[in-house]
Amino acid sequence: MKRQVSSKKLLSQQYRWKRRLLVLILFGFAIGSFLVMQQTQHASITTSLASIRHRFDDHSSQPKIAFLFIARNRLPLDMLWDSFFKGYDSSFSVYVHSRPGFLFNKATTKSVHFLNRQINNSTQVEWGEATMIVAERILLKHALQDPFNERFVFVSDSCIPLYNFTYTYDYIMATPTSFVDSFSDSKEGRYNPKMDPIIPVQNWRKGSQWVVLTRKHAETVVNDTTVFPMFQLHCKRKSLPEFWRDRPFPADNSKEHNCIPDEHYVQTLLAQEGLEQEITRRSVTYSSWDLSSTKDRERRGWHPMTYKYSDATPMLIQSIKDIDNIYYETEYRREWCTSKGKPSGCFLFARKLTRPAALRLLNMDSTCTYKLGHLDEEIDVLSLEYNEEDMELCITDFK
């Protein structure tokens, strides 16, 4: 009987010992896991702090503006932009969308800022087609790979800057919003009811494609999988007049919708995503659509006015810089332009200028914003030979 009691006590002690050992093992495992997690977290924080310190310590990693050029082939005004960019390499980056296969090398550009800056997966762009949106999204995708690009400016191949780089940079970076020309579009025939309910008519917007986007809004465009497919299906331009025709003219074109995708896409997408409170609803790129005074029939059509050699004067540039408000008829809204909380001119860039027009401005005034420096080519403008050592841009300095 005593042996049985002793045996039971022994078994009970062994059980308790094993249970305590198991508890100790589990406790030790928990402590070990906690220490490993703390160490990993500490290492992650240390790495993040080091990265942040490196970002602020490295002068070359300050916030940058990405200039996104959309060109047919080469950039005819590259010499002007070269002067604009010179000396500010740490504050900007350049990306060019040109036709597939076109290369920016020493044979096609005189500017080091455009050498090899073409993107390698460009698409063939057709005016009035969704391919223009494809090009914009490709450019944004490339530019977003640089974490220091914080603003994204779309630029055409016929566009010029109106001010020097410092003023332009400060103007754009001073506001936390995007600059997007956007207004409600009530004109019949542009909105296709087939877009509803995915894109309801109340979110339908129109405006210029030459926008300035914040990084958040650039990511919104690149990540869009809802609005863009609808544009591909249902936003198409009306058939062109006979002398522009590149496809059969429909028997009854009165039922056609006249939707130019790049004039609606970004504006409608931001409205659709509820982001209109995060934009300044105007463009910083000037275009002239008032063609009523021109006698040149070639200059009337579906495109803004092109400034030729005879148009390029200091008065023209100053008149654009003096514009301080924009009126939107469809919304009975007047947008007064400000920068850093103070009244300012509305526009930083202007289009469309021909190469002779730009070169005339370059050679016209000795009190200009910036110099091109030495040009190593002779420039023939309307049979006038220019071989100046210092050709200056006829755009008066903001200061």
Side-chain angles (χ1 to χ4, degrees):
M1 191 72 179
K2 286 183 179 180
R3 285 182 180 178
Q4 287 182 350
V5 172
S6 298
S7 178
K8 287 181 179 180
K9 285 183 178 180
L10 183 61
L11 289 172
S12 178
Q13 289 174 354
Q14 288 176 346
Y15 175 74
R16 284 198 297 270
W17 179 82
K18 289 179 179 180
R19 189 171 59 183
R20 289 173 182 172
L21 179 62
L22 180 61
V23 170
L24 285 172
I25 291 171
L26 292 174
F27 181 74
F29 179 77
I31 292 293
S33 299
F34 177 76
L35 291 174
V36 169
M37 289 174 63
Q38 287 290 100
Q39 197 170 26
T40 303
Q41 194 172 31
H42 176 73
S44 176
I45 293 172
T46 302
T47 302
S48 297
L49 289 174
S51 175
I52 292 171
R53 276 198 301 271
H54 176 72
R55 175 170 179 169
F56 284 98
D57 291 342
D58 185 1
H59 176 69
S60 66
S61 59
Q62 64 178 308
K64 295 192 294 185
I65 296 177
F67 288 86
L68 313 179
F69 289 83
I70 299 179
R72 296 172 182 83
N73 295 297
R74 66 176 64 203
L75 291 168
L77 308 183
D78 58 349
M79 72 291 185
L80 189 151
W81 285 98
D82 181 79
S83 179
F84 175 76
F85 289 137
K86 193 170 295 181
Y88 299 96
D89 290 6
S90 63
S91 301
F92 73 92
S93 53
V94 170
Y95 304 84
V96 185
H97 184 287
S98 191
R99 63 173 173 79
F102 187 86
L103 299 178
F104 281 84
N105 51 37
K106 291 183 178 180
T108 57
T109 180
K110 299 295 183 183
S111 171
V112 296
H113 297 108
F114 294 103
L115 283 175
N116 301 315
R117 296 312 302 162
Q118 75 282 346
I119 57 177
N120 57 12
N121 59 334
S122 62
T123 186
Q124 186 64 45
V125 173
E126 300 293 338
W127 178 79
E129 303 289 347
T131 50
M132 181 66 80
I133 302 176
V134 175
E136 293 174 350
R137 284 160 58 96
I138 292 172
L139 280 167
L140 286 173
K141 188 173 182 178
H142 280 270
L144 283 167
Q145 292 176 12
D146 185 340
F148 299 108
N149 286 335
E150 294 193 5
R151 297 293 186 276
F152 304 80
V153 181
F154 282 102
V155 186
S156 80
D157 56 6
S158 62
C159 186
I160 65 168
L162 296 173
Y163 298 94
N164 61 30
F165 185 89
T166 301
Y167 178 71
T168 303
Y169 181 93
D170 290 343
Y171 192 110
I172 291 174
M173 300 301 287
T175 174
T177 65
S178 295
F179 288 95
V180 180
D181 181 47
S182 178
F183 54 91
S184 298
D185 181 26
S186 57
K187 189 171 182 178
E188 291 184 9
R190 289 194 178 122
Y191 175 77
N192 191 332
K194 293 180 180 179
M195 293 182 175
D196 191 63
I198 296 177
I199 303 176
V201 67
Q202 60 265 28
N203 288 341
W204 186 244
R205 300 288 185 272
K206 191 180 184 300
S208 167
Q209 76 175 102
W210 310 111
V211 301
V212 178
L213 298 179
T214 62
R215 190 171 184 90
K216 174 183 176 180
H217 295 163
E219 291 171 343
T220 299
V221 173
V222 169
N223 296 328
D224 170 39
T225 58
T226 304
V227 174
F228 179 56
M230 295 301 295
F231 268 67
Q232 288 180 301
L233 289 173
H234 303 303
C235 181
K236 301 180 184 296
R237 64 169 166 80
K238 197 172 185 178
S239 298
L240 294 172
E242 184 176 357
F243 57 89
W244 276 343
R245 194 179 306 166
D246 59 359
R247 57 188 174 189
F249 202 70
D252 182 9
N253 70 331
S254 63
K255 297 180 180 179
E256 281 190 294
H257 294 279
N258 188 28
C259 178
I260 310 299
D262 55 81
E263 294 179 355
H264 297 272
Y265 174 63
V266 171
Q267 293 81 357
T268 300
L269 173 62
L270 295 179
Q272 184 86 351
E273 296 294 325
L275 298 174
E276 286 191 298
Q277 297 303 314
E278 300 177 10
I279 67 174
T280 298
R281 295 175 64 195
R282 63 179 175 87
S283 176
V284 292
T285 299
Y286 175 82
S287 300
S288 176
W289 291 90
D290 183 9
L291 308 181
S292 57
S293 61
T294 181
K295 297 179 181 179
D296 188 348
R297 291 191 62 185
E298 293 180 0
R299 303 173 76 170
R300 300 183 182 185
W302 292 8
H303 301 281
M305 177 177 179
T306 296
Y307 293 105
K308 298 182 178 181
Y309 178 85
S310 59
D311 302 311
T313 65
M315 292 73 76
L316 169 68
I317 298 301
Q318 192 58 51
S319 68
I320 296 172
K321 294 171 73 173
D322 287 342
I323 298 171
D324 62 0
N325 71 90
I326 305 168
Y327 184 68
Y328 293 92
E329 294 182 2
T330 62
E331 297 180 340
Y332 305 102
R333 170 173 63 92
R334 187 174 298 279
E335 190 78 27
W336 290 94
C337 303
T338 61
S339 176
K340 299 180 181 178
K342 298 179 181 179
S344 70
C346 295
F347 300 108
L348 299 175
F349 313 101
R351 60 186 294 271
K352 305 165 58 171
L353 275 79
T354 62
R355 182 178 173 86
L359 291 175
R360 186 184 188 194
L361 293 175
L362 287 169
N363 194 44
M364 196 174 286
D365 196 330
S366 61
T367 58
C368 303
T369 302
Y370 40 81
K371 291 185 178 182
L372 279 178
H374 299 288
L375 295 181
D376 57 359
E377 61 176 338
E378 288 192 353
I379 303 164
D380 184 2
V381 183
L382 297 184
S383 300
L384 297 176
E385 296 289 339
Y386 294 91
N387 192 14
E388 306 283 347
E389 287 190 351
D390 290 300
M391 300 182 70
E392 300 184 359
L393 177 63
C394 180
I395 298 176
T396 55
D397 198 349
F398 170 71
K399 296 180 180 179

